[in-house]
């Protein structure tokens, strides 16, 4: 299973051609993990230590079913965490149908639309079918929430192999106030 994270427009990792990987490794499976995909239900992965913000996450079944979970990350600056590497890359494993801005209220949305801004800001809870945030009165700031959610996600679904691509990097695009060239 290959998860294709968001790497930004115009950067080599965002132009990944799935057919090239399939021809090199015919047993590789692709699935859009932003929603239910080919599964019949979401997999609930619990955070072993109880979690900082979430006790568990409802994720696409592929994260539970895969033999090896590889996080292939783009080295880049990030306005909240400072840098994005293999752990922060896992923020993208949360399905937007449950945790996103257009997620369903009671049940997950049927199609993936919108981004993960609610996880950053705490502006809304996940769909009621998923485990709720442990303390909905916790700080609603990205600098508080994002690092804790990343740790919770990686504890719930540990990375087996981390690869960071740094041949070309991104700088400034996600940094608040950046006035690029």
């Amino acid at each position: 299973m290959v998860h294709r994270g968001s790497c930004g427009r115009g950067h080599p990792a965002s132009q990944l051609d799935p057919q090239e990987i399939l021809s090199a490794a015919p047993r590789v499976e692709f699935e859009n993990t932003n929603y239910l995909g080919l599964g019949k239900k979401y997999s609930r992965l619990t955070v072993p230590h109880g979690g900082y913000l979430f006790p568990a996450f409802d994720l696409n079944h592929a994260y539970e079913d895969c033999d090896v979970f590889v996080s292939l990350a783009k080295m880049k600056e990030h306005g909240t965490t400072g840098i994005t590497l293999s752990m922060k890359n896992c923020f993208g494993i949360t399905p937007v149908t449950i945790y996103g801005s257009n997620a369903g209220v009671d049940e997950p949305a049927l199609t993936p639309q919108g981004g993960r801004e609610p996880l950053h800001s705490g502006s809304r809870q996940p769909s009621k079918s998923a485990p709720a945030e442990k303390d909905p009165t916790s700080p609603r700031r990205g600098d508080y929430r994002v690092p804790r959610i990343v740790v919770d996600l990686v504890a719930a679904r540990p990375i087996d192999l981390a690869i960071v691509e740094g041949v070309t990097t991104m700088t400034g695009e996600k940094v608040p106030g950046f006035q690029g060239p």
Side-chain angles (χ1 to χ4, degrees):
M1 188 276 301
V2 173
H3 161 70
R4 182 177 172 188
S6 60
C7 296
R9 291 178 290 190
H11 296 279
S14 67
Q15 298 169 10
L16 175 71
D17 181 3
Q19 291 305 316
E20 290 179 16
I21 293 176
L22 285 174
S23 65
R27 292 180 42 202
V28 172
E29 298 173 18
F30 284 88
E31 180 154 3
N32 182 346
T33 60
N34 276 316
Y35 73 118
L36 187 57
L38 301 174
K40 297 190 184 329
K41 65 177 190 159
Y42 289 94
S43 293
R44 182 157 294 168
L45 281 79
T46 59
V47 180
H49 59 78
Y52 289 106
L53 288 184
F54 288 94
F57 294 92
D58 284 358
L59 303 176
N60 179 287
H61 72 95
Y63 294 106
E64 182 176 35
D65 296 346
C66 67
D67 296 323
V68 176
F69 178 41
V70 178
S71 177
L72 175 58
K74 177 88 173 152
M75 182 187 300
K76 61 183 180 179
E77 283 184 358
H78 189 275
T80 302
T81 60
I83 191 165
T84 292
L85 298 172
S86 57
M87 286 179 59
K88 166 61 177 69
N89 190 48
C90 290
F91 209 83
I93 73 175
T94 55
V96 295
T97 52
I98 297 173
Y99 300 95
S101 53
N102 293 322
V105 174
D106 293 319
E107 296 292 326
L110 296 177
T111 57
Q113 296 177 359
R116 292 176 181 84
E117 187 277 329
L119 283 176
H120 288 85
S121 68
S123 59
R124 65 165 284 183
Q125 291 295 305
S127 301
K128 291 179 183 174
S129 62
E133 191 174 337
K134 289 174 65 170
D135 179 8
T137 65
S138 67
R140 306 283 98 185
R141 302 181 330 266
D143 64 338
Y144 177 87
R145 297 177 57 78
V146 173
R148 287 164 177 80
I149 291 171
V150 168
V151 169
D152 286 351
L153 282 165
V154 173
R157 183 43 180 120
I159 299 166
D160 296 307
L161 175 63
I163 301 171
V164 178
E165 188 275 317
V167 174
T168 56
T169 63
M170 293 170 54
T171 183
E173 288 186 26
K174 298 245 180 193
V175 178
F178 175 74
Q179 303 295 317

